Amino acid sequence: MKYIVAGHTAVTAEEFVELALGTPLDLWLGPEEGETETERAARLDAARDILADDPGLVDRVSQVAAEAIEAFAPDLFNVAPLPRTTARRWELQRGEAA
């Protein structure tokens, strides 16, 4: 399967996400092995600058993540409300009634 984002061809899923976000994944996924405090500070500064310049990025990433979960793990969105239990009923169920 071939993915094209903004005129660029993504070969791997990681490249696709990087092209879609416009930033490298390593910037957001946390420290790499052997990352120094200076490198960490620079990575976090870059992330803050990107978010300041593009405040809608968080919403777009959240939407992409939700769509990916829905596509590849739809059962995660199949939730059913639990029956409400009153405090008194909870005490009776636990055998704490006086």
Side-chain angles (χ1 to χ4, degrees):
M1 185 179 290
K2 190 174 183 180
Y3 297 106
I4 299 177
V5 178
H8 299 280
T9 303
V11 178
T12 66
E14 185 174 308
E15 287 177 355
F16 176 76
V17 172
E18 287 183 3
L19 287 170
L21 295 177
T23 63
L25 286 177
D26 294 342
L27 181 69
W28 309 105
L29 295 180
E32 292 185 23
E33 223 174 282
E35 182 178 60
T36 67
E37 283 299 315
T38 303
E39 291 168 334
R40 180 177 189 274
R43 182 176 54 79
L44 294 177
D45 284 343
R48 277 190 286 276
D49 289 344
I50 290 169
L51 291 174
D53 289 343
D54 188 359
L57 179 64
V58 173
D59 292 334
R60 289 195 312 277
V61 170
S62 298
Q63 181 179 355
V64 168
E67 289 171 357
I69 291 168
E70 188 174 30
F72 297 105
D75 291 338
L76 292 177
F77 285 120
N78 292 337
V79 296
L82 295 174
R84 294 186 64 124
T85 304
T86 63
R88 178 72 179 138
R89 222 166 81 195
W90 178 255
E91 289 172 356
L92 291 173
Q93 289 173 349
R94 291 180 35 199
E96 297 176 7

